[in-house]
């Protein structure tokens, strides 16, 4: 049995010193409970922006544990105004230095035409131009702008992923030294790939 042999690589607390390991636990708990107001960043200083699709195990795919990253998920994993808001806050005030965007194959944002989605939205309300996009900002509505552009359906997931990365890299509210990368999660294989590097279409062709 392990406890009959004395292990030299594991330091046992000396007699009368148990309080030291208890104190470490108490301090760690306090850091965890008050990390935001203590200015402690996420363990990986990472923000993940991903589609809300239920088939994407975001943390597992990126090898993340609880506490490693902040995760923002929405329809399509799109860089919307609230993604910019959240990314600006965490990079400027919470020491987040990296952003990863995760889009995926068979995304619902590719499952219908712009026209069909716009027609569905318009049918649901009296006048789409009067519908506030943000309940706390009633003045914020589509107005003269394109409802389709607000919804942002997708034609090509690899191009869409690269576009999200570009939006974040170039946004003025996100510091220049923040690194931004994007990946496509393949629901059919359960693996991530870099956008534009789909293997399946190329392995059966002459190099
Ligand atoms: Zn999706």
């Amino acid at each position: 049995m392990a406890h009959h042999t004395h292990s030299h690589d594991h330091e046992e607390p000396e007699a009368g010193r148990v309080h030291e390991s208890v104190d470490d636990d108490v301090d760690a708990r306090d850091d965890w409970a008050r990390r935001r107001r203590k200015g402690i960043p996420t363990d990986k200083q990472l923000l993940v922006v991903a589609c809300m699709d239920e088939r994407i195990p975001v943390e597992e795919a990126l090898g993340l544990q609880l506490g490693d990253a902040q995760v923002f998920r929405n329809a399509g994993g799109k860089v919307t105004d609230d993604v910019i808001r959240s990314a600006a806050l965490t990079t400027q005030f919470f020491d987040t230095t990296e952003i990863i965007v995760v889009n995926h194959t068979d995304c619902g944002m590719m499952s219908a035409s712009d026209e069909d989605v716009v027609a569905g939205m318009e049918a649901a309300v009296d006048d789409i131009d009067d519908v506030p996009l943000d309940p706390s900002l009633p003045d914020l509505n589509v107005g003269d702008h394109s409802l389709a552009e607000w919804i942002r359906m997708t034609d090509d997931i690899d191009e869409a992923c690269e576009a999200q990365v570009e939006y974040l890299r170039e946004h003025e509210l996100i510091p220049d030294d923040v690194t931004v990368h994007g990946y496509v999660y393949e629901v059919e294989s359960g693996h991530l790939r870099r956008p534009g590097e789909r293997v399946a279409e190329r392995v059966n062709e002459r190099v």
Side-chain angles (χ1 to χ4, degrees), residues 11-91:
E11 291 285 325
E12 297 292 334
E14 292 172 42
R17 309 293 281 273
V18 171
H19 68 278
E20 289 179 358
S21 61
V22 174
D23 281 347
D24 287 346
D25 288 347
V26 170
D27 289 345
R29 182 67 58 185
D30 190 75
D31 283 350
W32 178 261
R34 302 196 299 150
R35 61 160 50 183
R36 271 307 86 73
R37 60 188 93 173
K38 284 180 151 189
I40 300 171
T42 63
D43 293 348
K44 304 269 189 208
Q45 291 177 261
L46 172 66
L47 167 68
V48 180
V49 178
C51 184
M52 67 183 182
D53 194 289
E54 72 279 16
R55 294 167 293 176
I56 313 178
V58 174
E59 287 85 356
E60 183 189 317
L62 295 173
L64 300 175
Q65 306 293 321
L66 183 69
D68 281 349
Q70 293 162 336
V71 182
F72 190 118
R73 304 186 67 163
N74 66 17
K78 300 287 181 154
V79 177
T80 58
D81 62 331
D82 204 7
V83 169
I84 294 295
R85 169 181 163 275
S86 303
L89 285 168
T90 196
T91 55

Side-chain angles (χ1 to χ4, degrees), residues 56-124:
I56 313 178
V58 174
E59 287 85 356
E60 183 189 317
L62 295 173
L64 300 175
Q65 306 293 321
L66 183 69
D68 281 349
Q70 293 162 336
V71 182
F72 190 118
R73 304 186 67 163
N74 66 17
K78 300 287 181 154
V79 177
T80 58
D81 62 331
D82 204 7
V83 169
I84 294 295
R85 169 181 163 275
S86 303
L89 285 168
T90 196
T91 55
Q92 292 187 35
F93 300 102
F94 303 156
D95 284 336
T96 292
T97 57
E98 179 175 16
I99 302 174
I100 291 179
V101 177
V102 180
N103 297 116
H104 67 102
T105 55
D106 193 48
C107 187
M109 300 303 285
M110 299 188 291
S111 65
S113 69
D114 284 3
E115 295 73 24
D116 287 348
V117 174
V118 168
M121 292 267 185
E122 286 178 339

Side-chain angles (χ1 to χ4, degrees), residues 76 78 107 109-112 114 152-158 160:
K78 300 287 181 154
C107 187
M109 300 303 285
M110 299 188 291
S111 65
D114 284 3
R152 305 216 272 161
M153 297 296 282
T154 299
D155 291 325
D156 180 313
I157 202 62
D158 291 72

Side-chain angles (χ1 to χ4, degrees), residues 162-193:
E162 286 172 336
Q164 306 319 306
V165 169
E166 278 310 298
Y167 295 149
L168 288 165
R169 281 184 181 156
E170 289 176 7
H171 202 281
E172 292 172 52
L173 287 175
I174 297 172
D176 290 339
D177 57 355
V178 171
T179 62
V180 188
H181 293 88
Y183 297 92
V184 174
Y185 177 83
E186 298 180 333
V187 293
E188 64 273 30
S189 71
H191 291 111
L192 293 168
R193 61 174 159 83

